[in-house]
Amino acid sequence: MKTHSCPAALLLYGSHALSTAGERAFEFLIGLILIKVYNDSLFMVALFGLLDSLVVSLASSHLGILVDSLDRLKGACVMYLGQNVGIFVASIGFYILLSRSEHDSVGDCMDYMVVSMSIMAACLSSLGAMGATISVERGWTKALCGEDVAMLSSVNAIMKRIDLVSLIASPILVGILIESQGYLTCLVCLCGFNVGSFVLECYFLQRAMIYEENLRRASPSQERPAETQASSMAAGLTLYLKQDCVWYSASLALVYLTVMSFGTIMTGYLAWRGLGESVLSIFRGIGAALGVGATVFFPYASTRWGLPKSALSAICGQCICIVLAVVPIVWVGDQFGKAAEMSLLLFLSLSRFFLWLFDLSVNQIMQLESSKDSVGAIFGIQNAFQSGFQTVAYVMTMVFSNPHHFEVLMLGSTLVVVVASVATFVGYRKHNHEDEEESVELMQHK
């Protein structure tokens, strides 16, 4: 009997792990390099984050359509190629920039041309990584598991666990390498790792196809009904809006329109309030561990409760945690400063568990309700919405850039999560109503 630890699944995990680890490490290194080179300003770091989110939001839908139009193996390898070519070109640019900064201050026309090229190449890398996620983490897993929902839950949970572990481990390894060998050596090593792993990433996928007949037989480009093919962004958006699970999809996109995470925005605010790096690191670690815990709990929850109830329970838990994190800091923060800050950190860490449980539940609902030939288009639109909302969050932070006004962003984030909870409840009720109608029809038929 095929399980989540069958040879084909293990090869998918290996390919995904190599891609994700390299991308996470390089993304972290870019921020450090820009801070080092432009040490008197965070402008370049903020600009890169904004451009990266904007480019992904604009191009994700087209990437999804491209993934659907290509043979499964070719589509994944093209995305891996884009990711690694972007990293290679960006590495050359950042190497030149670092070398020049060691001997002279940067700021002339040549330097800006180099950094512009490097940032554009890094954005290309992000697009490749996004396309690989749509192809491998959504399409390949769906094809591998077929109609086995329990196996799909386990495979999705392991893929997400790989993402979260990479998010934790990659920056640590980059930091160790920089401390011991310096920036230039670290950059060369990461570039070599990413470019070298490209061959293994594609090889693992090819071997997985040899082991698993479903991966050979269910190639979207070979079995695509013309009437269901998404050939443009408009067609992809139409497919997306026609999903039965569109309320769940919209809810997941909305949670990206918040600052309530341990990202750079919240970290900067907490540091401004006087919290030490050690305290922040501890709670970031707790949040990351709870996120990994959610990937362990998800297969049980999806089997025991079902995916709709798992999604509703998770977003309600997320909503409660965010409210309990924000209320003390906004209303009584001046009277109970340290206690309010600890409450914020504690419930923000706990919210990571519910966030990733919700993410896993909704993504699997979308996988199950998407046809084989439209997975890329639908998830491309989903990623476009998520990146778009993330871009809006960056812009709103720039508008309310004064730390004294950060409470406005926290209250706005709380409202967004409440709206996402209501939208999920609407989707849950709609799903239950459809199930009841189907049951009545079956009874009448009998």
Side-chain angles (χ1 to χ4, degrees):
M1 180 180 177
K2 186 169 63 176
T3 68
H4 63 273
S5 58
C6 65
L10 294 176
L11 288 164
L12 285 190
Y13 303 150
S15 179
H16 181 61
L18 288 172
S19 171
T20 303
E23 176 66 19
R24 295 291 192 189
F26 190 73
E27 188 179 70
F28 180 72
L29 180 60
I30 289 174
L32 295 180
I33 290 174
L34 290 174
I35 290 172
K36 178 178 173 59
V37 174
Y38 298 95
N39 52 20
D40 58 342
S41 173
L42 292 175
F43 178 78
M44 282 297 180
V45 180
L47 180 64
F48 169 66
L50 186 61
L51 285 176
D52 194 52
S53 296
L54 187 61
V55 168
V56 170
S57 68
L58 292 174
S60 284
S61 58
H62 300 289
L63 276 180
I65 293 167
L66 178 62
V67 167
D68 283 339
S69 69
L70 296 174
D71 175 81
R72 175 166 287 113
L73 179 61
K74 183 178 179 180
C77 291
V78 165
M79 296 304 154
Y80 282 150
L81 179 64
Q83 175 185 336
N84 289 290
V85 167
I87 288 174
F88 180 73
V89 174
S91 296
I92 294 173
F94 284 125
Y95 190 94
I96 294 171
L97 204 63
L98 280 170
S99 299
R100 286 172 63 87
S101 69
E102 288 182 356
H103 300 95
D104 197 6
S105 60
V106 297
D108 59 23
C109 183
M110 178 65 179
D111 292 325
Y112 284 116
M113 288 178 61
V114 171
V115 76
S116 298
M117 178 200 73
S118 303
I119 287 177
M120 286 190 290
C123 290
L124 171 63
S125 171
S126 296
L127 286 177
M130 181 63 69
T133 296
I134 294 171
S135 177
V136 178
E137 201 171 343
R138 306 291 178 240
W140 282 68
T141 54
K142 178 180 172 70
L144 172 67
C145 301
E147 302 300 321
D148 192 336
V149 178
M151 179 182 173
L152 184 59
S153 296
S154 297
V155 171
N156 281 337
I158 293 171
M159 296 290 265
K160 181 59 70 177
R161 200 173 306 152
I162 291 170
D163 286 343
L164 294 176
V165 170
S166 296
L167 189 62
I168 300 166
S170 296
I172 295 173
L173 294 176
V174 168
I176 292 172
L177 195 55
I178 289 173
E179 287 292 328
S180 60
Q181 302 297 325
Y183 277 89
L184 288 174
T185 302
C186 181
L187 181 61
V188 171
C189 289
L190 274 185
C191 179
F193 172 81
N194 279 283
V195 174
S197 64
F198 167 69
V199 177
L200 280 176
E201 290 161 5
C202 296
Y203 174 73
F204 286 163
L205 294 182
Q206 186 179 36
R207 294 296 300 175
M209 292 187 75
I210 293 173
Y211 277 110
E212 181 52 51
E213 184 181 355
N214 282 350
L215 296 176
R216 300 193 301 273
R217 184 179 61 230
S219 179
S221 64
Q222 296 171 358
E223 300 181 2
R224 180 179 296 102
E227 66 272 12
T228 62
Q229 181 179 356
S231 57
S232 67
M233 184 176 178
L237 183 60
T238 301
L239 282 173
Y240 180 87
L241 294 175
K242 285 183 177 179
Q243 295 178 103
D244 291 335
C245 62
V246 68
W247 286 98
Y248 294 107
S249 307
S251 301
L252 179 59
L254 274 173
V255 299
Y256 282 78
L257 186 57
T258 75
V259 297
M260 299 303 294
S261 70
F262 282 111
T264 53
I265 296 172
M266 178 60 76
T267 301
Y269 170 70
L270 293 172
W272 172 80
R273 290 186 66 97
L275 289 170
E277 294 179 357
S278 59
V279 174
L280 293 176
S281 298
I282 289 170
F283 280 98
R284 282 173 66 99
I286 293 171
L290 287 171
V292 174
T295 67
V296 176
F297 181 68
F298 171 67
Y300 168 81
S302 62
T303 303
R304 182 78 173 179
W305 303 337
L307 291 169
K309 188 173 287 187
S310 294
L312 181 61
S313 302
I315 193 62
C316 288
Q318 168 81 351
C319 187
I320 291 169
C321 286
I322 295 301
V323 169
L324 292 175
V326 169
V327 168
I329 206 81
V330 171
W331 272 281
V332 298
D334 293 335
Q335 299 175 15
F336 305 99
K338 291 300 179 184
E341 288 166 358
M342 287 301 106
S343 176
L344 172 63
L345 288 168
L346 177 63
F347 285 108
L348 196 57
S349 299
L350 184 59
S351 72
R352 301 296 88 190
F353 176 88
F354 296 107
L355 172 65
W356 293 118
L357 183 60
F358 180 62
D359 177 276
L360 283 164
S361 300
V362 173
N363 275 311
Q364 184 158 329
I365 290 171
M366 292 175 64
Q367 278 180 301
L368 293 173
E369 296 197 10
S370 303
S371 59
K372 288 183 298 184
D373 57 301
S374 64
V375 171
I378 287 174
F379 277 99
I381 295 291
Q382 179 69 21
N383 287 325
F385 280 132
Q386 291 172 184
S387 296
F389 282 136
Q390 201 168 37
T391 303
V392 173
Y394 276 117
V395 172
M396 292 305 296
T397 303
M398 294 170 72
V399 173
F400 296 96
S401 57
N402 189 329
H404 293 284
H405 299 155
F406 194 76
E407 293 172 357
V408 175
L409 296 175
M410 290 198 291
L411 288 172
S413 298
T414 305
L415 179 61
V416 166
V417 176
V418 170
V419 172
S421 302
V422 172
T424 304
F425 179 73
V426 172
Y428 179 77
R429 291 293 299 166
K430 183 175 181 289
H431 183 270
N432 277 0
H433 180 67
E434 290 173 352
D435 284 350
E436 289 172 1
E437 286 184 343
E438 289 179 3
S439 298
V440 170
E441 288 177 2
L442 285 173
M443 291 179 66
Q444 289 176 347
H445 181 71
K446 289 181 179 179

